[in-house]
Amino acid sequence: MKATYFFCCLMSVCLANAALCQSVYHFKYNFHQPEDSIGYDAFFVRYDDGSGLLRVRYLLPATGEIVLVEADVEESYPGDTLAAGNSNGPLVLRTINPRFIIGNNSIRFNPPFFQFAYNAASGFHEPAGVTAVEKTVAMSPSTSFTAELLTNGGLNKTLVSAFFSEDEDFYTNLFRPGTKGLTATEKNTRLYLLIVADTLDKEIGAACKLDIARTLQTFKGLTDTLGIKFLAKTIAGTDYSKKNVELAISNFLKPAPSDIVIFYYSGHGFRKQEENRRFPYIKLKTNHTSKQDVYANSINIEDVFASIVKKPSRLNLVLSDCCNSDIEITNSTGSKPGKTKGSGVKWNEDNYRSLFLNKTRMSVLATAADNGQRACSKNDFGSFFSFFLTTSMENYCSNLKSKVNWDLVLQDTKTQTIYKAKHTYCDKPYIPENICNQYPYYKIVYGSGNE
């Protein structure tokens, strides 16, 4: 079944004409310590999945030589805030894997830890300071720190060129000119969205309702941005049944060769011990009387995929956010992720063309958890794997990326899901043995359906 704990649903409100889930900051800081009194200038990109990129520029005190360091970013919560289900506590964005762009490894670099505090009025985590030690939550009184959220006006060539050369991908992606827009033929493309969600389930029904709303909002926003047609159907509530799902696949999904089909499931899932199948069964009856009743009212998501791939559509996405474990699995609870205010980075037409209007026929089957694992959600937020798929897709549609494809989107989704699961407890007590394991699994099929 599906565990209830945290993270949002597939396709969130992030996806719109601008990439609202990407926060870009300009930081300036100085620790004013005898061993480190350097003035640092930092360009900081933070994605809603907790990943990010940092570039720090400074001058060596002895020589005046310019040093430019790049590092990756990952988030952490001091203490046991995740275990306690407290998503409004302090958030630390720690820098890892530093590498020198200008300068060399013989130069000492102290990776900073940026502190973000929750603002109840705005609902966002906002920059609050910087420390040289991760476990130190409060910034030292001697440290100076300023932070500016960069919007499209602030993301100008003068500032960005201080951290990126004009031939680097980040710079060229951000400032490359737009293309002409869709052709008249492309504008006739239809996106079919079939959502199936177990909204009446007592454990996860509220999360499933959020999944529906945000999935509809996201793909409606996508089709509005692309300028293509949008056809949506939702099976939930009292309509939720195996029969109605099978009818919708047959009768609602009638794509032409240029169209897009998306099937999204949010609910309980399970594996059959007696079968050796990697993908889960989706349970299509809310209240069941026996194990045999569950089996009779379920479909393996791989069989759904096979039915859809037989249709002539050019792009098929079949997505299931559910458990892939024993049918009797218990549920667990955790916290929401920290959220920072978006910078409104523009979408890039070449990128969303590569993902959604690529001429190569492609079908993607992705599920939240591998064989024997749980997937997770929270009733006031939504579903774990879906959140990371959303933010990854949004990241790759923005001007900050180039040469995008679905494999990159799904690999990032998998990486962030695994990382978050390993920093979350699925059961009490909060001991290492109860840390979650959730490894999304997917396959991509090109052409008519032969792998």
Side-chain angles (χ1 to χ4, degrees):
M1 299 296 177
K2 187 173 185 178
T4 57
Y5 87 1
F6 72 117
F7 295 106
C8 105
C9 3
L10 172 71
M11 312 318 167
S12 78
V13 65
C14 297
L15 284 172
N17 291 324
L20 299 179
C21 292
Q22 297 172 349
S23 305
V24 185
Y25 294 97
H26 184 200
F27 294 151
K28 292 188 175 185
Y29 62 96
N30 190 323
F31 295 116
H32 293 292
Q33 296 295 322
E35 67 276 13
D36 188 354
S37 59
I38 295 172
Y40 295 97
D41 200 11
F43 188 92
F44 185 93
V45 181
R46 193 258 179 184
Y47 303 114
D48 258 8
D49 62 8
S51 65
L53 179 71
L54 174 74
R55 283 211 173 177
V56 180
R57 181 185 176 97
Y58 59 98
L59 301 178
L60 289 178
T63 64
E65 176 187 352
I66 294 175
V67 178
L68 181 64
V69 181
E70 180 178 270
D72 299 317
V73 177
E74 64 182 21
E75 71 178 34
S76 65
Y77 293 79
D80 292 326
T81 53
L82 280 182
N86 177 18
S87 59
N88 299 337
L91 170 65
V92 175
L93 276 297
R94 60 195 298 262
T95 53
I96 57 173
N97 305 323
R99 54 248 179 212
F100 286 84
I101 307 299
I102 301 175
N104 58 66
N105 291 334
S106 65
I107 300 170
R108 181 184 175 187
F109 174 70
N110 296 320
F113 299 91
F114 295 105
Q115 314 288 335
F116 284 68
Y118 181 72
N119 184 331
S122 67
F124 294 110
H125 277 82
E126 299 174 353
V130 61
T131 66
V133 180
E134 182 176 12
K135 294 182 180 179
T136 305
V137 176
M139 186 174 70
S140 168
S142 64
T143 300
S144 61
F145 175 77
T146 62
E148 178 189 4
L149 177 67
L150 300 175
T151 59
N152 281 310
L155 278 168
N156 56 68
K157 292 183 178 180
T158 300
L159 175 63
V160 176
S161 63
F163 299 93
F164 298 88
S165 62
E166 294 184 7
D167 60 351
E168 288 188 274
D169 285 346
F170 188 96
Y171 185 97
T172 56
N173 294 344
L174 194 58
F175 297 114
R176 58 184 164 175
T179 49
K180 298 179 181 179
L182 303 192
T183 65
T185 301
E186 287 173 328
K187 289 181 179 179
N188 287 325
T189 300
R190 295 173 295 180
L191 188 151
Y192 287 86
L193 173 62
L194 177 56
I195 300 173
V196 180
D198 194 355
T199 58
L200 297 183
D201 185 85
K202 293 179 180 179
E203 295 175 335
I204 62 169
C208 293
K209 288 179 182 179
L210 289 176
D211 289 355
I212 290 174
R214 290 170 176 167
T215 302
L216 285 169
Q217 185 173 17
T218 293
F219 282 108
K220 180 62 167 65
L222 172 67
T223 55
D224 287 346
T225 299
L226 292 174
I228 63 176
K229 297 176 174 62
F230 180 60
L231 301 171
K233 182 178 179 63
T234 298
I235 298 175
T238 57
D239 292 331
Y240 185 75
S241 71
K242 179 179 178 180
K243 177 182 178 181
N244 286 339
V245 171
E246 291 175 334
L247 286 173
I249 291 172
S250 297
N251 300 333
F252 170 66
L253 299 179
K254 291 186 175 294
S258 62
D259 291 339
I260 301 165
V261 169
I262 299 170
F263 178 97
Y264 172 66
Y265 174 76
S266 175
H268 285 301
F270 64 94
R271 62 186 293 265
K272 293 183 179 180
Q273 295 281 4
E274 63 272 23
E275 294 184 2
N276 186 26
R277 302 191 72 169
R278 189 116 184 220
F279 287 92
Y281 282 83
I282 57 176
K283 185 176 78 70
L284 298 174
K285 183 178 180 181
T286 300
N287 298 313
H288 50 274
T289 57
S290 65
K291 184 176 181 179
Q292 289 69 32
D293 188 35
V294 174
Y295 280 13
N297 289 280
S298 299
I299 308 174
N300 193 282
I301 194 66
E302 198 166 16
D303 295 333
V304 173
F305 180 73
S307 297
I308 290 175
V309 169
K310 291 178 182 178
K311 299 177 184 294
S313 39
R314 178 182 39 77
L315 173 64
N316 301 302
L317 303 179
V318 178
L319 311 165
S320 58
D321 203 324
C322 62
C323 285
N324 194 1
S325 188
D326 295 340
I327 210 166
E328 300 87 2
I329 195 71
T330 58
N331 296 346
S332 55
T333 303
S335 64
K336 304 175 189 178
K339 184 174 179 61
T340 51
K341 189 174 182 179
S343 292
V345 178
K346 296 292 186 182
W347 270 24
N348 182 272
E349 185 179 315
D350 291 337
N351 291 351
Y352 59 67
R353 273 180 176 274
S354 294
L355 292 180
F356 292 98
L357 296 174
N358 198 304
K359 294 180 180 179
T360 301
R361 189 175 196 270
M362 178 187 301
S363 300
V364 175
L365 173 60
T367 196
D370 208 342
N371 206 338
Q373 298 175 348
R374 307 186 204 189
C376 306
S377 68
K378 184 172 174 61
N379 272 336
D380 64 354
F381 197 59
S383 306
F384 192 171
F385 159 78
S386 296
F387 170 74
F388 291 112
L389 180 57
T390 300
T391 55
S392 179
M393 187 173 72
E394 188 264 351
N395 292 342
Y396 278 95
C397 280
S398 82
N399 264 339
L400 303 184
K401 298 286 187 178
S402 63
K403 302 175 183 177
V404 309
N405 57 59
W406 280 107
D407 192 49
L408 289 173
V409 171
L410 292 162
Q411 281 293 337
D412 274 12
T413 302
K414 182 175 181 178
T415 297
Q416 294 304 323
T417 302
I418 293 170
Y419 176 81
K420 282 295 186 182
K422 288 186 179 296
H423 289 77
T424 307
Y425 295 101
C426 272
D427 293 296
K428 293 181 179 179
Y430 301 136
I431 57 177
E433 291 82 355
N434 289 333
I435 289 175
C436 297
N437 284 298
Q438 183 177 344
Y439 289 68
Y441 182 72
Y442 69 92
K443 68 177 183 180
I444 300 175
V445 176
Y446 296 93
S448 61
N450 297 317
E451 297 187 58

